[in-house]
Every structure is written in C-alpha cells, then in structure tokens.
C-alpha cells in the first residue's frame, strides 16, 4: 500500500495466529516477563482490506501461470508474488522418544516450552550453542531450572558469527551464571521410554534431561517453489533488487531470501536478523509495484540484539565478514565492551556487549557504518 498498490492483497500463512513479533519468544516471553498477548503486531489502517488466509499453507507455485496452490485445494492467481515463507527449525535425526524435545520458532513452541521450564527441579539440555540456544539456556537459569547444560560440537559458543574473542567472553559469563557447557561433542541419541530422560553424546556418555531444546539451525521453507527452475539451494536466490528467477512480478523477503548486499559485495547470502524482514519488505514492495528505475540496489545494514542473563549483545553490520580482523573499539572485555570487525581495513560490523555504555558506543559506530558508500552496484544474477 505504501508503494502505491491499490489492488487486492492476500496474505497466506500456515500458522493460525495473526502476525506477531518473534524475537521475544526465546527471551522475555519465555521468561514470563511479558505476556504472549503482547506479541501481536497492530496492522495499519492502510491494510485494513487485506484478505488473511491463516492456518493455510502454500503447497505449490506455478510461476509461468502466475498461480499458487494452497493445502485446502484452492488456487490463487496473482499479479505479484511475495515469497516470505521464512525458515523452520532443523530437527535432530537421532533415535529415541520425541516427547520432551522442543524447538523455538513459533508462539506455540514457546508456550509449550515455558510450561516445561517452570516445572520444579527440571533438568534442561540445550543442543546448539548459537544465539537461540544460549538465550534459552539463560532464560532457563532465570526460571530456576535445577540444571542447564548446552551441548555443541564446536569448541566455543557463537564463535561463527562473533569470533573467538567474544565467544570466550560469553562462555565465561554464561558459566558464571550457572550454565554448563559440553563443547566439542555431538548428540547421537535420546534415552527414555515414552519421554526423553537423557541425551546420549558422541563419546557414549549420557546427560540426564527432563527437557531438551534443539537449536541446531534452520531449514528454508521453499518446497512449494520446486519445479520452477529456481536456485533453492539455500533459501531463494534473488538479484540485487530481491527479484526471483528474473521475474519482475516475483520477489522474496526476510530470512528465506538469499540476496547480494551492495554494502559489502556481490555474494548472495541469507541474513537471519531482526531488521531484514522490514528492510527487505520496503525495498521489494517498491520494486514490485514500480520497477527498479532510479532505485539503488538493496544495501541494508543488518541489525540484531540478543538478551542473555543480565547483559545484552547488540550488533550492527556484518561481523561475520570481518572475523579475520577483530579489535576492541571501546571499553574492556572484562565489562562493557564494543568490538569492531574489519575487512580489508574497512569496518564492516560492530558488536556491543554489556549495558547502556556499550549500547551508546555502538550507536555512534552505527552512524559511521551507515555513511559508508556501497562497495558494489552489481548484484548476483538470479
């Protein structure tokens, strides 16, 4: 609507719930600090006439015919198609019972997990030491879990996106607050009859567990696009304007889109950050409705935050592109600290760890990152 489209708009979603905010699911909502009802997004008056097809899943698309088939058998014709089907949690394919094993992606996931974590004396094993896994571990400690253990085959938590320096700091801070880590070990199975009672590790040892949280990555929801000649090897490949398959009437947005970011280079990447759905939606809508004449290539500044225990991680830019040159820009790693990530001498990302002083320093560098000119105007071909 903001881009000028006056025709009909239909939104299809497989969840039965109206749109809601996902980031608090593994933090404030899971902890009970805010109610589930606070997650609902308030639609603007300009989209009051949107048709919502909730609890309905897209099962096939025929791009040549400009139609989408739903799981209720209906077929929707379109003038413009927005691929916004996102990701789903990857599950461990290990022998053992399913009861007691959880993921965190939807509001229903969080509701079910919270009920489990508030049981007295609960023993929790989190498989995966990424952001979601560490957030859930911190939340479980805060809820009073008797034991919280994080398992990961890698040697440090969150090292992939943040680098070794911050990863070691975060490991120490989690351990100081009661989280145990078993690093360098995988999971081969689950013990228990009708419900999980233990997690079997790759060395044969068993961790007692009443609740298991699987945080081992995501899978792109792209199966409904099969058969259209698209590159779906990692999400949906787009060009520099988020168009899919060279079709001006099809765009992809959010974490399912694999796009080249002109701010850094022409390499298409998926970005699972909080800011990307809104940023990509604004750009894609403009291109979908009016074309790309006079529109600069998509060049967002990715942004995310992660609340863990009593500290916050806040990131601007693309730290993972600068892991070879990591420097402390402000503060000290023993307290509030701001870390900069550089690529070929250019600052490409900053991460603040701690409280308000680190956040203020990050905000100053965010302005510098936004002022930097894009490195390329050439996106990847779709």
């Amino acid at each position: 609507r903001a881009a000028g489209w006056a025709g009909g708009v239909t939104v299809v979603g497989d969840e039965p719930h109206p749109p809601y905010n996902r980031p608090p699911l593994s933090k404030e909502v899971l902890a009970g600090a805010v109610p589930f009802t606070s997650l609902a997004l308030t639609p603007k008056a300009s989209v009051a006439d949107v048709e919502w097809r909730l609890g309905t899943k897209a099962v096939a698309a025929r791009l040549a015919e400009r139609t989408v088939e739903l799981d209720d058998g209906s077929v929707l014709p379109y003038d413009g198609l927005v691929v916004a089907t996102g990701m789903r949690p990857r599950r461990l394919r290990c022998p053992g019972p399913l009861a007691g094993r959880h993921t965190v992606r939807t509001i229903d996931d969080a509701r079910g997990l919270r009920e489990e974590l508030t049981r007295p004396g609960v023993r929790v094993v989190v498989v995966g030491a990424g952001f979601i896994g560490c957030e859930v571990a911190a939340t479980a400690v805060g809820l009073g879990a008797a034991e919280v253990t994080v398992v990961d085959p890698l040697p440090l938590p969150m090292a992939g996106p943040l680098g070794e320096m911050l990863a070691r700091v975060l490991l120490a801070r989690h351990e100081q607050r009661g989280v145990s880590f078993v690093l360098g070990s995988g999971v081969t199975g689950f013990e228990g009859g009708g419900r999980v009672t233990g997690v079997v590790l790759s060395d044969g040892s068993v961790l007692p567990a009443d609740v298991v949280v699987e945080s081992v990555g995501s899978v792109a929801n792209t199966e409904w696009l099969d058969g259209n000649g698209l590159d779906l090897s990692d999400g949906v490949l787009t060009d520099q304007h988020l168009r899919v398959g060279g079709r001006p009437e099809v765009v992809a947005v959010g974490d399912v889109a694999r796009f080249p970011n002109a701010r850094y280079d022409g390499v298409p990447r998926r970005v699972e950050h909080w800011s990307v759905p809104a940023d990509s939606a604004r750009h894609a809508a403009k291109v979908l409705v009016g074309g790309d004449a006079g529109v600069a290539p998509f060049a967002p500044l990715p942004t995310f935050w992660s609340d863990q225990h009593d500290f916050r991680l806040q990131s601007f830019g693309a730290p993972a592109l600068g892991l070879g040159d990591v420097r402390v820009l402000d503060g000290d790693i023993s307290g509030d600290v701001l870390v900069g990530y550089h690529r070929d001498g250019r600052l490409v990302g900053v991460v603040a760890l701690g409280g308000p002083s680190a956040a203020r320093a990050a905000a100053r560098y965010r302005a510098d990152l936004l002022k930097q000119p894009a490195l390329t105007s050439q996106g990847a071909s779709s």
Side-chain angles (χ1 to χ4, degrees):
R1 292 293 188 240
W5 178 254
V9 177
T10 301
V11 180
V12 176
D14 61 354
E15 290 189 66
H17 312 288
Y20 60 89
N21 194 22
R22 289 189 194 275
L25 288 178
S26 55
K27 301 183 276 282
E28 301 97 327
V29 171
L30 190 60
V34 297
F36 284 96
T37 53
S38 69
L39 297 178
L41 299 177
T42 303
K44 296 182 179 180
S46 59
V47 295
D49 62 345
V50 166
E51 179 187 359
W52 297 94
R53 301 287 293 269
L54 301 177
T56 307
K57 185 177 181 179
V59 295
R62 298 177 181 86
L63 301 190
E65 301 173 17
R66 297 193 181 189
T67 61
V68 173
E69 181 181 347
L70 308 183
D71 61 358
D72 62 5
S74 59
V75 176
L76 303 180
Y78 63 81
D79 298 301
L81 175 64
V82 181
V83 178
T85 41
M87 314 295 289
R88 63 182 182 272
R90 189 183 301 278
R91 300 304 303 260
L92 292 169
R93 296 183 177 180
C94 300
L98 291 174
R101 293 165 54 186
H102 297 260
T103 60
V104 183
R105 178 73 182 187
T106 70
I107 192 170
D108 293 332
D109 292 340
R111 280 197 178 107
L113 179 57
R114 176 166 169 74
E115 290 179 3
E116 298 254 50
L117 293 181
T118 52
R119 291 162 46 200
V122 68
R123 298 167 299 177
V124 182
V125 174
V126 180
V127 184
F131 287 107
I132 299 298
C134 287
E135 287 174 0
V136 171
T139 301
V141 167
L143 287 171
E147 297 175 12
V148 179
T149 305
V150 178
V151 179
D152 198 288
L154 297 178
L156 289 169
M158 295 172 279
L162 297 179
E164 183 176 338
M165 178 195 297
L166 273 188
R168 292 192 180 281
V169 173
L170 290 166
L171 174 61
R173 294 192 185 190
H174 274 277
E175 290 179 331
Q176 291 165 1
R177 289 159 175 81
V179 179
S180 299
F181 285 81
V182 178
L183 300 171
S185 180
V187 172
T188 60
F190 298 96
E191 291 189 341
R195 181 186 171 89
V196 65
T197 59
V199 178
V200 183
L201 304 182
S202 52
D203 63 1
S205 61
V206 179
L207 292 174
D210 305 302
V211 176
V212 174
V213 182
E214 298 176 27
S215 182
V216 291
S218 303
V219 179
N221 293 316
T222 58
E223 292 84 355
W224 64 286
L225 293 167
D226 286 343
N228 289 287
L230 304 177
D231 183 340
L232 305 176
S233 55
D234 179 20
V236 182
L237 178 65
T238 79
D239 67 8
Q240 60 189 355
H241 287 298
L242 301 172
R243 292 171 299 208
V244 176
R247 296 178 176 273
E249 77 280 4
V250 183
V251 294
V253 301
D255 52 8
V256 75
R258 178 162 48 104
F259 60 89
N261 189 335
R263 185 175 296 276
Y264 304 111
D265 53 33
V267 179
R269 302 179 180 90
R270 287 192 313 99
V271 181
E272 298 185 34
H273 286 347
W274 168 82
S275 61
V276 169
D279 289 344
S280 59
R282 281 190 289 266
H283 189 98
K286 185 184 300 182
V287 171
L288 186 63
V289 173
D292 63 2
V295 179
F298 188 47
L301 184 72
T303 301
F304 77 88
W305 75 94
S306 178
D307 292 323
Q308 301 175 23
H309 302 289
D310 54 353
F311 58 84
R312 167 172 283 196
L313 277 161
Q314 190 167 13
S315 171
F316 299 110
L321 298 183
L323 296 180
D325 185 358
V326 183
R327 313 171 200 170
V328 173
L329 301 178
D330 192 273
D332 185 88
I333 58 173
S334 62
D336 287 4
V337 65
L338 180 72
V339 176
Y341 298 78
H342 302 77
R343 187 182 192 188
D344 299 327
R346 172 186 168 111
L347 183 69
V348 293
V350 296
V351 175
L353 171 60
S357 64
R360 286 192 294 269
R364 293 195 298 271
Y365 278 92
R366 175 182 180 273
D368 293 338
L369 289 168
L370 285 170
K371 292 175 185 175
Q372 291 180 351
L375 288 183
T376 176
S377 61
Q378 298 300 316
S381 170
S382 60

